[in-house]
Amino acid sequence: MFLRCFACDARYGDEPTLYTCRTCTSPLEVNYTDTEFRRAGNFEGQGVWRYQSILPVKRLVTLGEGGTGLHPCDRVGRDLGIPKLFVKNEGENPTGSFKDRGMTVGIALARKVGAKAVACASTGNTSASMAAYAARAGLTALVLLPAGKVALGKLSQAIAHGAKIAQIDGNFDDAMRLVVELSLEERSVYLLNSINAYRLEGQKTLAFEVCEALGDAPDALVLPMGNAGNISAIWKGFNEWKRLGRIKRLPRMIGVQAEKAAPIARAWRERRAFRTIEDPETIATAIRIGAPVSHQKALAALEESRGEAGTVTDREILDAQRYLARTEGLFVEPASAVPIAYLRKHRLKGARTVVCVTTGHGLKDPDALRTAPVKMHRIKPTLAALRKVLEG
Ligand SMILES: Cc1ncc(COP(=O)(O)O)c(C=O)c1O
Ligand SMILES: [Zn+2]
C-alpha cells in the first residue's frame, strides 16, 4: 500500500498522518500494489468490513456501518422514465449518514498512530459521526462548526457523544482551513475530514455493495457533492471492483450541487478552471461549501466516467425531499434529495439502471420541513371529528 498525489503523481509510503502532498499540497490517494489486489477477496460478513482485504487497516472500532438498503423505487422510476431506479439509502447507517463508512476506517487509523484526539471541520454529519466513533474508541473529539449553520439533529449528536464543540464565526471553508492548521501543529490530533485519504477508503465500499446487489454496475450513479470526497471515493470503488474482475463496465457518475454552492458544477458546465465561491448558500446546509477539498478528484471522476455535473435550486430540493418521502417512504435530509431533484429536471440518455445515493436521514434536519405550510388538525376527542379529518 502506498500514497499517490492526485495532482503531481508523487509517491509516499503508508503514512496515515500525511494528509496532503509534500510537493504540491494536493490531496493524496491510497493505492494498492498488484500483489495486494491479487490477495483481495474472501468477502465475508456484512457492511464496510466485509471488504477488509481492500481496506488500509483492520477493524478496530465498529458500530455496524454500511450494508444499507438499495431500494427499488418503481413509482418514482415510472414518473421519471427510468426503468430501474434504486435509492441507496445511507441514512440507514448508525449515525444516520454515509460518513460512518469512512469514520470506522479513519478512527482505526487514529488508534493505530496513537492519536489522543480526533478533529474535523463539519457541516454537521462528519461531526456527528466522528463524535460517535471517538466515544466508542475512547478518544477525545474536537469539532469545528460554522456557527448557526448546522442542522439541529446533527448538532444534538455531537453534543450527546460529548465532543468538544467550537462554533466558528465563519463558514465551513474557514473551519476547514483552521482544523488543517491545528492538525499540522498538534501531531497528537488526528484529522478526520475527507482530505484524509484513508478515511475515504471506507466510503468506496458503497460502490462494492451496489455492484454486488445488482450483479453489475448501474448505468449511472447520482449523488450530491459538497467537499466531493464521496464522489471521489465511490468512483475509486467502482474502478477497484472492475480491477478485481467483478464487473465489466463502469457507471456514469452524476454529481449534483445546490445552485448557489456549485463551484464544481460551474467549472464543469463552463469548461473552465475550477474557482472557489466566497459565500455559498443553500438550505441543504450539508453541502454549503465553496472550496471543496476534493474538486480535482471529482472533476476527474466526472470526466473519466463520461458523467455530468449539474445544479438544483433550494425550492427543487425541498420539493424532491417531500416527493420522495411521500412516494416511496424514504425520508432523507435536503442535501440527500438533490439527486432526485436533478432527475426530475434532466433526462439521463440511455440510462436504464440508475442508483441515487441519499446521503443522510431526514430526521437530521427537522427544521427544513417548516419551510412549507404544514396541515395538522386540532380536534375534540370524538369519532365525528376524527371522521372529518379522515374525509378531509
Ligand atoms: C448529507 C450529506 N450529503 C452530501 C454531503 C457531501 O459529501 P462530500 O462532501 O463528500 O461531497 C455531505 C457532506 O457533509 C452530507 O452530510
Ligand atoms: Zn503533489
Side-chain angles (χ1 to χ4, degrees), residues 76-134:
V76 171
R78 257 197 307 281
D79 283 356
L80 305 182
I82 300 169
K84 288 184 177 168
L85 177 70
F86 296 88
V87 165
K88 181 69 171 162
N89 192 24
E90 290 292 280
E92 294 166 32
N93 275 298
T95 78
S97 85
F98 71 95
K99 308 282 185 182
D100 296 342
R101 290 182 188 271
M103 218 45 85
T104 186
V105 171
I107 213 88
L109 265 307
R111 284 268 290 267
K112 200 175 149 186
V113 302
K116 294 202 170 55
V118 287
C120 69
S122 178
T123 55
N125 279 324
T126 302
S127 64
S129 181
M130 193 190 80
Y133 283 86

Side-chain angles (χ1 to χ4, degrees), residues 28-246:
L28 302 168
E29 193 177 73
V30 175
N31 279 206
Y32 303 88
T33 62
D34 286 336
T35 317
E36 282 164 335
F37 260 98
R38 270 195 297 280
R39 278 199 219 113
N42 247 340
F43 302 121
E44 277 167 10
Q46 248 240 333
V48 168
W49 295 103
R50 171 176 172 77
Y51 309 102
Q52 175 144 331
S53 62
I54 28 174
L55 289 173
V57 66
K58 288 216 163 60
R59 178 172 71 186
L60 290 175
V61 183
T62 181
L63 288 165
E65 49 292 319
T68 54
L70 182 68
H71 305 283
C73 290
D74 296 343
R75 244 181 251 125
V76 171
R78 257 197 307 281
D79 283 356
L80 305 182
I82 300 169
K84 288 184 177 168
L85 177 70
F86 296 88
V87 165
K88 181 69 171 162
N89 192 24
E90 290 292 280
E92 294 166 32
N93 275 298
T95 78
S97 85
F98 71 95
K99 308 282 185 182
D100 296 342
R101 290 182 188 271
M103 218 45 85
T104 186
V105 171
I107 213 88
L109 265 307
R111 284 268 290 267
K112 200 175 149 186
V113 302
K116 294 202 170 55
V118 287
C120 69
S122 178
T123 55
N125 279 324
T126 302
S127 64
S129 181
M130 193 190 80
Y133 283 86
R136 188 116 175 120
L139 294 170
T140 298
L142 172 67
V143 305
L144 286 73
L145 307 174
K149 292 291 182 178
V150 171
L152 183 64
K154 305 174 191 184
L155 190 58
S156 314
Q157 288 176 289
I159 293 168
H161 295 301
K164 293 182 197 288
I165 300 174
Q167 297 201 292
I168 310 288
D169 294 324
N171 62 24
F172 169 84
D173 304 307
D174 300 317
M176 186 70 207
R177 270 192 295 278
L178 194 56
V179 77
V180 169
E181 255 176 61
L182 176 77
S183 63
L184 293 177
E185 296 233 327
E186 295 282 339
R187 302 308 295 196
S188 63
V189 178
Y190 194 58
L191 180 64
L192 279 177
N193 275 103
S194 62
I195 195 169
N196 181 324
Y198 289 82
R199 191 199 105 183
L200 282 185
E201 286 298 286
Q203 289 172 218
K204 75 185 179 185
T205 58
L206 182 144
F208 304 159
E209 289 178 11
V210 166
C211 292
E212 288 205 289
L214 296 177
D216 200 354
D219 296 318
L221 184 122
V222 194
L223 79 171
M225 292 189 294
N227 252 316
N230 209 28
I231 189 171
S232 314
I234 294 171
W235 177 239
K236 185 172 188 281
F238 282 121
N239 279 279
E240 291 184 356
W241 210 238
K242 184 160 177 277
R243 187 169 164 199
L244 287 170
R246 306 232 161 195

Side-chain angles (χ1 to χ4, degrees), residues 340-352:
I340 298 290
Y342 187 72
L343 291 177
R344 292 177 100 187
K345 286 210 298 193
H346 299 271
R347 286 283 138 108
L348 298 178
K349 276 209 205 78
R352 292 185 57 78

Side-chain angles (χ1 to χ4, degrees), residues 279-313:
D279 295 302
E281 204 44 82
T282 170
I283 182 125
T285 50
I287 52 171
R288 185 174 167 271
I289 292 170
V293 167
S294 297
H295 65 270
Q296 289 154 310
K297 290 185 181 179
L299 286 164
L302 295 167
E303 190 75 49
E304 290 166 17
S305 73
R306 289 174 292 109
E308 64 192 50
T311 59
V312 289
T313 65

